[in-house]
Every structure is written in structure tokens, then in C-alpha cells.
Amino acid sequence: MPDQPAWWTRAVVYQVYPRSFQDSDGDGVGDLGGVLQRLDHLADLGVDVVWLSPVYPSPQADNGYDISDYEGVDPTFGSLTQLDELIAALHDRGMRLVMDLVVNHTSDEHPWFVEARSSRDSSTRDWYWWRPPREHMAAGQPGAEPTNWHSFFSGPTWTLDEASGEYYLHLFSRKQPDLNWENPQVRQAVYAMMRWWLDRGVDGFRMDVINMISKEVAPDGHLHDGPPLPGLPYGDGSASFLCGPRIHEFLQEMHREVFAGRPDRLLTVGEMPGVTIEQARLFTDPARAEVDMVFQFEHVGLDFDESKWHPRPLRMRDLKASFGRWQAGLADVGWNSLYWDNHDQPRAVSRFGDDSPRFRRDSATCLATLLHLHRGTPYVYQGEELGMANFPFTSLEQFRDVESLNHHVQAVAHGADPGEVLAALRRMSRDNARTPVQWDTSTNAGFTTGTPWIAVNPDHLEWNAEAQRADPTSVFAHHRRLIALRHEDPVVALGDFTMLLPEHEDVYAFTRSLDGETLLVVCNVSGHEQALAELLPQAGAAELVLGNLPEDDPALLRPWEARVLRVR
Ligand code: ISL
């Protein structure tokens, strides 16, 4: 680490998913005008950084993660002028703006791809991955795809371009063709675009699936099949594209070309599904100049059986082991993001907490305490600070997400029971995180005066920002205290981490220590009382710094009670 700890060790990031944050023009879709109207909410919460999910021009096949112009704003979301206003308004309030950088793929409607597709000799043909059908097979025949890889959004990762008889690669939907980072022109075009945004005043990037940009290619240009997936005619190609052979070279080059010599107020976050701790250390070792922190997925996969669509209850021991390994693995080098929720995950209070009326507030605040007291940079996803919960989906028509809809088609085509598929979607769909932010009790929760693009959760009458801002015991108020604590107490930002009671299923406890100061964090992650004095006698003499329930018997932890204690 450099002499001074980086500013982002003390920072908290707030993710805005603009489509669902606040609509300002009544078209039912959130927009930049809406974000500008709600800056007081963010300032009151005390967050340091706003990560804005994509607002670029896009056909919206994946809600903006399919970009057709990297240097503009989609009219649905507003204008570049409003984005400039947002940068200025956030800076005025001491906050920074981090943009989403989606450069593993573009939209198929991006001019680069339109040109690439126009002929085999087009000037940008090699900017994407084109391959002929599998040997001895006819183009378009099932199984003729160049590799057997299964797309993140169901089906094959290859789509045939009839005109040229070649397939193009898309790890995500067919409307998201993968860029070929082997081609130096692609890399330079991306770096130029990134510089353009930094020159405009943005403070960094959250880099979408950035560990997928380097693919393993055989010397003859072939890509390799992956091991077959149970019950599907596809294989798992991830060994060929997760942290591929040139990934560190690419990120170091990006750093040199884009970030070197810029002020250190910038933030770079690498979203990296499947990254290992060993790889994460390399990516975030400051001496290597790649990215500031990783955003990894191990803990949000612990409740999957064979896939996210076959969820099982989370075992607390597994979560402790995972978090503990990451804390230890990045203790001396590197940095991690801390999150429960984002726009791709079901709501944490429904998934890891208990969203029944009795425990919703207490479990939401308990989970928040547990997370924010770890070492790393905490992320609050819009609505998480209000304890927003999963949506009570009852029919397929209520879903909007391409991942959910494609999964339904594929699973049913392969013989799954539609009722069971719907039940899995209800639990795991990304749309759970994408319902509008609940601002107040008015129609559509104050999100829009029009018809919202996805239904508002009916529970907004009780769970909304207006009510919580007035209530010192609310989930919102608790988040505000947690964020303030990280700002004030260097132990929270930088202290060493030690896991306690690693095998205990119901009590999650750890210490953080720095320069002779120790914080003891104890969280009852169950609906039953726990005998704290017996489990952790040292808690008895400790001073309460912050708790999520009114002070009571120090020897007991009530259901979902969380305490941060100072041990002298
Ligand atoms: O949500 C997922 C599947 O359940 C993940 O695989 C997710 O697609 C992965 O974490 C990458 O996410 C990012 O890239 C995607 C986009 O759809 C997500 O919204 C984005 O966060 C493709 O750009």
C-alpha cells in the first residue's frame, strides 16, 4: 500500500439503476432528471460515490448493458447536458460519479458491429469474434456453433450471420456481440472513449465483466469447447474466457493509456464473476496498476445448487468461510467490494434476511451492519437502504429481464415444469432488484406520474423513503449511521479482520483491530435469541458503539440483533 491509505477505503458507493430510480418526465422510465431531483436523498445518506448503471444510447435489450454509442446519453434517460449537470451537482455536494463501462461487448446496433457485419472484408470485421461453423457441419444446423458454450442468458453463445455464413460470439444475449480485445484498434478505441469521459469530469468506472475480455485462443484461431452442462446441449466455456491469458496485460495497458498521471480521486472497480482470490490480489495490487478493487461473486453463489435457478438456503458457515477467505486473502495486498445487492441480485432482505413483517426491519439492519463492518468498500444498491424486498411475482407477464425470459423459454423447452420455473424466477430473477424505488405512499410510490415500465411493489405503502427519513429507527437511518461510522473510525476502514465462531450457524461475529483499538461485531443472523455472554464473554465489558435495536440485556442477542462494540 502507498503511504496514505486510498480515499476509497473510507468510502461508500451507492448504485443508481437509472431506469428504476426516479422518472422526471412521466414516461414510466427513470431518467437523469429524476436522479437530479433526488440528490438530497443521497447526500442525507452520506454516500461518497454514485455508480450510475448505463445511460448510453442503447436498444435496451439488456437495460442499457447493450450500448450502441459510448459517447452519448439515450433520450430515454435525458441528455449529455443533464449528465454534465449531474457531475457538477454531485461534485458540489462532495460526491463523485462513477460510470458503468461495458466493453466486453457492444450492442449489435453499435456502428462498429453494423459495419463488421456488413461483409467479411469490412474494416471492423475483426473487432468482433467471427468463426465458421464447426467442421463438417452446415451453418445453422443445431450443434454447428463454433464452440459448445452456454450463454449467460440461455442458449448458445453464437449466432449465425446468414449473409456471411459465419457465427459471431456473444457471451450474453445475441444483441450483445463480444468485442475482440486481441485487436489493438479495439483497445485504442475503448481507451479514447474512457479518456473522453474522464475529461468530461467523471470520476472513474465500474467495469462490467471486465475479467471476460481476454479469451483463450489456440494458435490456429480455434476456441475450445467446455465441459458439458447437465441437462443441456451446451458446455461451460468459462475456462476459456474468465481471466484469460492476456487479461492482466490488457488492464495494465488500459491503466497506462487512460489513468496514469490522472488525479488519485478516480475509482476503478472491476466486476469479475468467477475471479479467484489469488487473481483478485493480482488485479488490485497497487504496484501492478490494474484496478483499485474487484467486485466478486463468491458469496452470492453460495445459495445455488446446480445453478442460480435451483436455489437452496444459505448455510451461514459457508458465508463465513467465503467472507473469511476473502478478508484474509486481501489482508495485506489488494481490495474488495462489499455488497449484498445490485441490479443482478434478488433483494438481500428476502434472500439472506427475513422479510416477514416481524423481522424485516431488524434483519435488513443486521445484514447491513455485518456487511459494512468488514474490510473493503461497501456498496448500497438503490432501495437497499430502505429495506426493499423481492416483488410478489405471480405470472410470467410481470417479468421484463432478458435473462429471466430466456431462461423460462429454455427451461420449459427442455421439459421443466412451468410452475417450478416461475417459482425459481420469483425467488432469483434480477427483476426483484429492478422494481422502482419506493419514495412515498403516493401512486407508483412517487417514482412516476405515468405507467411504470415494471410494477411498483405494493408494499411501498409501508416501506418508503419518506416514512423512513422521519424515523430514527429506520433501515435508512441505520445505513446513515453505518456510513458515518466508516467515515469517522479508521478501524472500520483499515483494521485487521479476525473471524470468530466460524462454525456457528446463527451468530456471525468478528473483530477489527488497528493500532491497539478493537471493534467486536456480533450479529444474530437468526430469528432466535442467542446467549452472547456464553458464546463471547469478552462482549460483556465492551462499550456499545452502534446497534440496530434499543439497548437491553447485554448478555443476550435478540433475533437479528447486531452490535458493534469497542473492546478496551
Ligand atoms: O446476473 C447474472 C446471472 O445471473 C450474472 O451472470 C451477470 O450477468 C454477470 O454478473 C454480469 O453482469 C453484468 O454484465 C451483464 C449485465 O446483464 C449485467 O446487468 C451486468 O451487471 C452483461 O453486460
Side-chain angles (χ1 to χ4, degrees):
M1 284 298 236
D3 315 341
Q4 284 287 320
W7 63 270
W8 34 256
T9 57
R10 283 185 315 276
V12 176
V13 180
Y14 186 93
Q15 182 189 355
V16 169
Y17 193 67
R19 166 172 285 276
S20 307
F21 190 68
Q22 174 68 55
D23 179 20
S24 69
D25 61 6
D27 69 353
V29 178
D31 48 37
L32 290 175
V35 182
L36 283 162
Q37 287 171 10
R38 295 293 184 184
L39 292 182
D40 284 347
H41 180 79
L42 306 182
D44 283 359
L45 194 55
V47 295
D48 307 276
V49 179
V50 172
W51 150 25
L52 183 66
S53 277
V55 291
Y56 314 97
S58 158
Q60 304 289 326
D62 186 18
N63 290 357
Y65 284 88
D66 49 319
I67 297 169
S68 54
D69 173 4
Y70 285 115
E71 296 181 0
V73 168
D74 195 294
T76 310
F77 294 122
S79 65
L80 207 43
T81 311
Q82 280 177 308
L83 192 64
D84 290 339
E85 268 175 57
L86 179 61
I87 296 170
L90 286 170
H91 287 176
D92 278 351
R93 291 160 195 256
M95 291 183 271
R96 301 171 211 226
L97 183 68
V98 161
M99 299 291 279
D100 218 306
L101 179 82
V102 188
V103 290
N104 174 69
H105 43 268
T106 67
S107 164
D108 65 339
E109 297 180 32
H110 193 291
W112 297 343
F113 189 76
V114 174
E115 168 64 24
R117 180 180 232 170
S118 68
S119 94
R120 284 196 190 203
D121 317 310
S122 97
S123 60
T124 59
R125 183 77 172 179
D126 182 56
W127 287 35
Y128 295 86
W129 295 88
W130 297 94
R131 290 291 183 277
R134 197 176 280 274
E135 263 195 326
H136 312 303
M137 291 192 81
Q141 209 182 324
E145 292 83 15
T147 66
N148 67 348
W149 304 349
H150 186 224
S151 156
F152 285 100
F153 293 162
S154 300
T157 58
W158 297 92
T159 290
L160 177 64
D161 172 53
E162 301 272 356
S164 66
E166 288 189 328
Y167 290 82
Y168 65 87
L169 175 69
H170 52 88
L171 297 182
F172 295 88
S173 85
R174 61 173 56 210
K175 289 193 63 66
Q176 293 163 294
D178 279 49
L179 281 166
N180 175 15
W181 277 69
E182 299 293 315
N183 184 318
Q185 290 176 329
V186 167
R187 307 204 296 273
Q188 288 306 326
V190 169
Y191 305 152
M193 171 273 280
M194 293 172 75
R195 289 189 294 259
W196 184 87
W197 280 109
L198 293 179
D199 292 344
R200 232 183 157 87
V202 310
D203 303 296
F205 299 97
R206 171 270 187 187
M207 304 175 181
D208 192 70
V209 292
I210 202 69
N211 64 330
M212 301 188 192
I213 59 177
S214 166
K215 275 85 175 171
E216 183 166 10
V217 195
D220 67 357
H222 266 84
L223 299 160
H224 308 283
D225 279 344
L229 286 168
L232 288 173
Y234 307 108
D236 172 7
S238 58
S240 295
F241 58 75
L242 290 186
C243 301
R246 300 182 70 188
I247 184 64
H248 294 286
E249 175 198 335
F250 292 161
L251 288 181
Q252 286 172 8
E253 181 184 76
M254 176 192 282
H255 195 279
R256 279 197 308 277
E257 297 272 336
V258 178
F259 300 106
R262 301 238 178 205
D264 60 11
R265 67 178 166 78
L266 300 185
L267 177 65
T268 57
V269 185
E271 192 220 19
M272 300 194 177
V275 70
T276 61
I277 297 173
E278 295 67 37
Q279 284 285 352
R281 276 173 73 98
L282 297 176
F283 285 122
T284 60
D285 177 352
R288 293 170 57 89
E290 298 185 21
V291 293
D292 294 327
M293 63 184 79
V294 295
F295 194 96
Q296 57 87 22
F297 288 75
E298 194 174 285
H299 63 296
V300 288
L302 297 174
D303 59 348
F304 296 0
D305 247 336
E306 68 220 53
S307 82
K308 74 182 269 183
W309 305 117
H310 301 88
R312 60 169 189 218
L314 172 75
R315 284 190 302 250
M316 201 40 66
R317 263 173 294 135
D318 295 346
L319 183 74
K320 290 179 182 181
S322 172
F323 273 3
R325 271 196 308 275
W326 280 87
Q327 293 285 308
L330 302 183
D332 48 353
V333 177
W335 201 255
N336 196 3
S337 305
L338 304 169
Y339 72 96
W340 295 123
D341 270 339
N342 65 31
H343 63 294
D344 295 333
Q345 305 293 331
R347 290 286 181 177
V349 68
S350 304
R351 184 182 188 183
F352 303 123
D354 180 342
D355 64 8
S356 69
R358 179 159 172 225
F359 290 134
R360 178 156 163 191
R361 182 250 163 227
D362 297 347
S363 68
T365 50
C366 179
L367 287 173
T369 311
L370 191 165
L371 189 80
H372 282 246
L373 268 293
H374 278 72
R375 187 180 157 100
T377 298
Y379 286 60
V380 179
Y381 174 66
Q382 63 184 37
E384 185 177 4
E385 79 281 19
L386 307 174
M388 277 180 62
N390 282 354
F391 186 87
F393 292 104
T394 49
S395 81
L396 192 61
E397 290 65 50
Q398 294 166 318
F399 292 93
R400 298 287 177 274
D401 180 22
V402 57
E403 183 195 44
S404 296
L405 299 174
N406 285 3
H407 167 67
H408 189 272
V409 170
Q410 173 170 293
V412 170
H414 285 86
D417 171 64
E420 280 172 24
V421 179
L422 191 65
L425 289 183
R426 174 173 175 162
R427 205 160 141 189
M428 297 307 284
S429 172
R430 306 194 297 182
D431 281 337
N432 281 301
R434 299 177 179 188
T435 63
V437 172
Q438 297 166 200
W439 297 106
D440 55 41
T441 55
S442 67
T443 319
N444 295 323
F447 166 68
T448 182
T449 55
T451 306
W453 70 277
I454 189 169
V456 174
N457 198 316
D459 71 9
H460 72 271
L461 294 175
E462 194 181 342
W463 293 87
N464 63 70
E466 191 177 52
Q468 294 198 24
R469 284 172 65 160
D471 173 4
T473 69
S474 66
V475 182
F476 178 83
H478 191 74
H479 274 85
R480 188 156 53 185
R481 283 193 290 273
L482 289 170
I483 294 166
L485 184 64
R486 176 166 290 261
H487 291 159
E488 287 153 16
D489 192 337
V491 185
V492 177
L494 296 167
D496 293 340
F497 177 95
T498 305
M499 187 71 81
L500 306 174
L501 310 174
E503 300 300 323
H504 203 287
E505 260 309 311
D506 296 325
V507 176
Y508 192 117
F510 54 94
T511 58
R512 303 287 314 281
S513 300
L514 183 74
D515 299 336
E517 286 248 19
T518 295
L519 294 178
L520 170 63
V521 182
V522 290
C523 304
N524 179 0
V525 288
S526 81
H528 312 283
E529 208 167 75
Q530 306 292 333
L532 181 63
E534 283 163 36
L535 288 168
L536 294 166
Q538 66 269 47
E543 167 208 348
L544 184 67
V545 177
L546 187 152
N548 70 337
L549 296 180
E551 274 192 73
D552 195 10
D553 184 350
L556 289 179
L557 277 179
R558 284 161 284 175
W560 294 104
E561 179 165 9
R563 287 189 211 144
V564 181
L565 303 160
R566 199 176 302 280
V567 188
R568 294 281 173 200

